[in-house]
Amino acid sequence: MKTVQWLVLCLAFLTMFSACSEPSSSESQSSETNLSNRKKITLTLWYWNRSIDDELLAQAEKQFPNIELKTQKIGGDFKAKLKTTLAARSGEPDIVALNDWMVELFPSADRFYDLRELGADRLKDQYLEWKWNQGITPDGKMIAFPMDTGPTALFYRSDLFAQAGLPSEPEKVSASIRTWDDYMAAGEQLQQKFGSRSFLADNIVNVYNQVLAQHTNLYFKPDGSYIGNQSPDIRLGWKTAVDFHKKHLLANADGWTPEWNASVNNGKIASFVGAIWMKQVLTEAAPDTAGKWRVARAPGGDGNLGGSFISILKSSKHPKEAFEVLTWLQNPEHQLEAYHKIGLFPSTPGVYDDPIMETPEPFFGGQATGLIFATSARHVKSSYFGERYPVIHGIVTRRLANVAKQDANPDALWTETMDRIERELQR
Amino acid sequence: MLREIWKHRVVYAAISPFYLLFGIFGLFPIGFSLYLAFHKWDGIGDMTYNGWGNFRYLVTDNEFWQAVGNTFVIWVYATIPMLFFALIIAFLLYAPFVKMRTLWRVGFFLPNVTSIVAVAIIFGALFANNFGFLNYLLQLLGLPMVQWLNVPWGIQIAISSMVVWRWMGYNAIIYLAGLQSIPHVLYEAAKIDGATGAQAFFRITIPMLRPVILFTVITSTIGGMQLFTEPQVLVGNDGGSGASGMTIVLYLYRESFINNYFGYGAAVGWGMFLIIALFSIINWKLVQGKK
């Protein structure tokens, strides 16, 4: 009897293990094929949808016959997936695309190759200097290579501006709305005409973000010291944003919500300052307003919001080849192509004079908006973020949102915010 | 003892897969999170020992206590109407005069298997501030619009209504099973004695259902304390305007995976464990109560 029980059990385990071991047999097959052309190395690349042109990745196979490029489009929360992979120290890709949150990875710079050691410096003058510097840690390690950028500009409804008696041609708007105060004055004129049917800007947090995008003294200095409580730029951002609220110039529609989409589509939002990637967001959200939007220079100066980077992980066994692939993918010619195909704005100023930048865009009434963004991108100033930027910025913007949404007292909230940050920095 | 185990080794071997899997996926994470709660860790670099630091921070953390408060409020808003309506639905599903009962049962259970993300998107459209369906209805009735997702109670009601929508049918099916286990003779006897329907419901149905009600209260307490997806999808990682939709688990998630304080996140988890344990005991005492 006992033996029968054992037999049944063994059989059960056997079937379990044989089911598990199946993949390994196919693995041995693939290693056989690797033997036949043994020079071919495998590189894994992680990116998210629309961060790299898929066709370009397909071409890479031809460009590098000795490399098998395994591209993996990572969906969902890319950052969380990358971080858990880094924490697990297994299954890491060779090359990885990073968004502007890559500053959070600065404390873990030793998990990435210093791209300067791989020879990045000889390419430096092809890229925007401020963008290039963002990928370098305070102690001089370059862990992230420039992909696209997010120069900012003013998106506005030319028809609504004209009805309110404001200038409506991009050149005239750029010339007459130069500062945030000019912009607010335009908003008050708009308000007189439309009342609460149409507002100058979308939401308070966006105003704050846009002011910060134009300035250089943010929350931290490169030596790591906190300056947010005394930085004039932070104060200016807070004050400007609060003023917008006090003058009732905001539609109070949060970004990335159906509410925002509806508001741009039905004219409740007459303008907003945004990065170039808002072009696509706007085009998809507001099909009914096609042809009525224009782009002018941003009030308050040129700035940058967002944009991506690309890195090589230290775990990669083929950093030289990975660097070759990476620089090929992001060379000026391919960045221009990516702009043309999927709207990623190049970080290589050499291509800003290309005729492609002058392509008229029907959604923007035939305006060639590329020229505006190119000028903006050239004039962005280098600013330092620091690895705790996302946390601190989150604390400030959450409280700022309360000013607009729950009519909280901005002065009391400013003090509370500064205390909260103080506490945050101590942990 | 060991000899006993060796004697029954076949039996132990047969049940071993559960314990192996539990050890790997259950016991290890619990132990690791306890270890983590006493450390600082950004998720990638080295861990540094932090003693009771995380817990000291926890008890003085206003945002954590706000999250605890929010979770309780949402739990009250959701659980009481949910269990009340579930009981009524179960009673109706059991009633002999209802036709096509299987269809109704499936219909009420269906929300429970719907993708929560899809649900949150629909509820987001219902409760939207300016172009939401509820505000459209209010306007039709000539009533003022409500900034649902700006005011604290609006956010909390929106989240609660998602919970009610999703779990009401589930609890109704459990109540239905409870109802079916009550012997018919009791009702027949009551009828002979001249009891009304209401009397039968309150004197027979409710007392006989007590253990089932206790079960649903405890499960919905634990579920309510662990509320995460609904607020996360509806109002985002920061809990929406004024952090009114910030629940304990959402706070844990944000501190760990957004702000990279993994040690602190683990401490929040243990804080939550204590609260749930305490709360379950109180609930149990209250519902079982006067017997």
Side-chain angles (χ1 to χ4, degrees):
Chain A
M1 188 59 208
K2 275 263 164 73
T3 41
V4 175
Q5 282 177 333
W6 271 114
L7 264 172
V8 171
L9 202 68
C10 291
L11 209 71
F13 274 111
L14 262 173
T15 46
M16 255 171 71
F17 286 124
S18 63
C20 293
S21 63
E22 236 166 318
S24 71
S25 65
S26 66
E27 240 169 61
S28 66
Q29 272 177 357
S30 73
S31 69
E32 269 167 39
T33 51
N34 270 0
L35 270 174
S36 59
N37 46 2
R38 81 173 45 169
K39 282 234 170 113
K40 198 151 178 166
I41 60 163
T42 306
L43 290 178
T44 323
L45 180 146
W46 278 16
Y47 69 121
W48 61 92
N49 197 22
R50 299 183 64 88
S51 61
I52 301 175
D53 178 17
D54 292 333
E55 283 173 41
L56 182 66
L57 287 173
Q59 283 173 33
E61 292 276 311
K62 279 182 212 143
Q63 179 70 24
F64 303 99
N66 58 332
I67 295 172
E68 192 193 342
L69 191 63
K70 277 194 184 159
T71 58
Q72 294 176 355
K73 203 178 269 188
I74 308 293
D77 193 342
F78 189 92
K79 182 174 105 175
K81 283 178 187 168
L82 175 64
K83 284 191 171 177
T84 42
T85 309
L86 281 170
R89 289 177 189 265
S90 90
E92 294 156 274
D94 298 273
I95 308 172
V96 63
L98 304 168
N99 218 323
D100 57 352
W101 41 256
M102 60 95 197
V103 289
E104 289 175 31
L105 298 171
F106 276 11
S108 313
D110 59 333
R111 304 292 303 277
F112 297 87
Y113 274 100
D114 182 353
L115 300 174
R116 282 169 149 174
E117 281 173 14
L118 298 173
D121 276 335
R122 70 188 150 81
L123 302 166
K124 190 178 180 212
D125 43 341
Q126 292 180 13
Y127 295 83
L128 292 164
E129 197 189 351
W130 58 267
K131 174 82 182 180
W132 186 270
N133 291 338
Q134 281 180 359
I136 300 174
T137 64
D139 53 358
K141 278 186 194 150
M142 182 176 182
I143 64 163
F145 194 87
M147 295 220 286
D148 61 305
T149 61
T152 59
L154 175 69
F155 292 76
Y156 70 96
R157 284 276 299 270
S158 66
D159 56 329
L160 298 180
F161 269 39
Q163 282 172 46
L166 291 165
S168 61
E169 285 305 308
E171 295 80 32
K172 283 185 185 150
V173 171
S174 297
S176 64
I177 301 178
R178 300 185 70 89
T179 65
W180 285 98
D181 286 331
D182 295 340
Y183 185 45
M184 268 188 266
E188 284 172 294
Q189 201 169 327
L190 209 68
Q191 192 182 34
Q192 276 167 13
K193 172 79 184 168
F194 296 109
S196 60
R197 266 192 299 137
S198 200
F199 292 92
L200 177 70
D202 48 358
N203 60 66
I204 194 165
V205 171
N206 189 36
V207 174
Y208 179 73
N209 283 339
Q210 296 303 338
V211 176
L212 257 56
Q214 298 165 349
H215 290 86
T216 51
N217 292 308
L218 305 175
Y219 304 108
F220 296 96
K221 280 202 287 196
D223 64 11
S225 57
Y226 171 69
I227 52 163
N229 50 357
Q230 59 209 15
S231 157
D233 297 345
I234 297 291
R235 270 191 183 274
L236 177 72
W238 180 278
K239 189 185 170 300
T240 311
V242 168
D243 284 348
F244 266 76
H245 167 68
K246 282 185 178 159
K247 292 180 175 169
H248 305 287
L249 304 178
L250 300 168
N252 285 331
D254 289 346
W256 315 108
T257 60
E259 189 89 4
W260 191 91
N261 295 355
S263 302
V264 284
N265 199 29
N266 65 19
K268 199 165 178 191
I269 295 173
S271 76
F272 60 91
V273 181
I276 182 157
W277 39 263
M278 287 306 287
K279 272 206 309 203
Q280 197 213 343
V281 179
L282 182 64
T283 314
E284 283 167 11
D288 297 356
T289 59
K292 293 175 179 162
W293 290 88
R294 298 287 184 282
V295 175
R297 301 287 293 281
D302 298 307
N304 178 74
L305 202 68
S308 325
F309 296 87
I310 188 162
S311 298
I312 302 171
L313 289 169
K314 202 78 183 198
S315 55
S316 172
K317 291 193 185 84
H318 310 287
K320 279 210 180 84
E321 289 83 354
F323 186 69
E324 257 177 67
V325 172
L326 175 159
T327 47
W328 179 81
L329 287 173
Q330 297 303 329
N331 71 23
E333 180 197 339
H334 291 143
Q335 288 216 4
L336 184 67
E337 217 173 285
Y339 172 70
H340 190 51
K341 281 187 189 156
I342 51 176
L344 297 171
F345 198 78
S347 54
T348 50
V351 302
Y352 289 174
D353 300 319
D354 193 275
I356 285 177
M357 289 281 164
E358 292 165 43
T359 316
E361 291 155 62
F363 186 85
F364 295 94
Q367 187 192 355
T369 65
L371 297 171
I372 303 261
F373 290 106
T375 319
S376 177
R378 279 201 179 101
H379 294 103
V380 174
K381 294 170 223 143
S382 274
S383 50
Y384 177 75
F385 291 90
E387 67 259 17
R388 300 183 95 168
Y389 177 90
V391 175
I392 303 296
H393 188 64
I395 291 174
V396 179
T397 50
R398 278 199 296 281
R399 280 159 182 78
L400 190 60
N402 283 357
V403 173
K405 288 184 175 172
Q406 303 187 341
D407 232 352
N409 179 336
D411 299 325
L413 220 51
W414 169 263
T415 322
E416 199 261 329
T417 309
M418 291 302 124
D419 291 348
R420 175 68 183 82
I421 293 174
E422 204 72 28
R423 207 172 120 82
E424 184 71 29
L425 293 170
Q426 277 162 12
R427 60 168 171 174
Chain B
M1 164 92 172
L2 278 175
R3 267 185 120 171
E4 277 294 298
I5 293 175
W6 182 244
K7 229 170 98 186
H8 300 289
R9 58 191 179 277
V10 180
V11 185
Y12 280 107
I15 59 168
S16 66
F18 167 76
Y19 290 97
L20 289 175
L21 292 177
F22 175 74
I24 297 167
F25 295 106
L27 213 54
F28 172 71
I30 293 171
F32 184 65
S33 80
L34 192 61
Y35 174 79
L36 200 56
F38 291 95
H39 288 77
K40 275 186 183 180
W41 190 40
D42 68 354
I44 303 171
D46 299 324
M47 293 182 200
T48 51
Y49 181 69
N50 194 22
W52 288 94
N54 287 330
F55 291 99
R56 263 201 300 276
Y57 192 88
L58 184 72
V59 290
T60 56
D61 184 356
N62 291 336
E63 292 179 13
F64 170 72
W65 291 110
Q66 192 198 351
V68 173
N70 288 340
T71 310
F72 274 85
V73 170
I74 294 170
W75 176 80
V76 170
Y77 284 172
T79 309
I80 293 170
M82 174 176 75
L83 295 185
F84 177 73
F85 288 120
L87 199 55
I88 291 176
I89 291 169
F91 204 65
L92 289 175
L93 287 179
Y94 191 51
F97 59 83
V98 175
K99 299 273 181 295
M100 293 190 292
R101 274 190 267 179
T102 312
L103 186 75
W104 290 112
R105 285 170 196 180
V106 171
F108 278 113
F109 194 72
L110 219 50
N112 195 247
V113 291
T114 311
S115 153
I116 187 78
V117 175
V119 176
I121 291 169
I122 299 291
F123 273 72
L126 286 181
F127 284 97
N129 289 329
N130 294 313
F131 304 104
F133 184 68
L134 282 183
N135 275 335
Y136 170 74
L137 287 184
L138 286 177
Q139 272 186 314
L140 276 190
L141 298 170
L143 296 167
M145 297 210 294
V146 175
Q147 299 287 299
W148 292 104
L149 299 180
N150 281 359
V151 290
W153 59 268
I155 292 180
Q156 286 159 358
I157 286 195
I159 296 169
S160 305
S161 62
M162 281 169 67
V163 177
V164 173
W165 185 83
R166 185 147 182 253
W167 291 101
M168 194 166 60
Y170 171 84
N171 285 300
I173 298 295
I174 291 177
Y175 285 146
L176 182 64
L179 285 175
Q180 284 167 339
S181 71
I182 299 174
H184 253 284
V185 285
L186 290 178
Y187 290 106
E188 279 162 24
K191 218 176 201 174
I192 292 165
D193 290 345
T196 62
Q199 277 172 327
F201 181 78
F202 286 110
R203 298 286 166 87
I204 299 172
T205 314
I206 297 287
M208 294 297 282
L209 272 184
R210 198 183 276 279
V212 183
I213 293 175
L214 179 68
F215 171 77
T216 56
V217 169
I218 298 279
T219 51
S220 49
T221 301
I222 295 172
M225 292 296 114
Q226 295 179 340
L227 199 62
F228 169 69
T229 322
E230 286 90 344
Q232 205 245 357
V233 185
L234 190 70
V235 288
N237 290 330
D238 293 322
S241 160
S244 317
M246 177 66 81
T247 61
I248 306 175
V249 185
L250 184 56
Y251 188 63
L252 187 160
Y253 172 79
R254 195 191 77 188
E255 289 300 295
S256 313
F257 295 97
I258 308 293
N259 293 348
N260 307 317
Y261 298 119
F262 282 88
Y264 186 63
V268 172
W270 282 94
M272 184 174 76
F273 167 76
L274 284 181
I275 291 169
I276 293 180
L278 206 77
F279 201 51
S280 298
I281 293 170
I282 294 171
N283 253 309
W284 189 57
K285 289 273 181 223
L286 279 181
V287 179
Q288 213 178 29
K290 315 138 211 152
K291 223 178 178 177

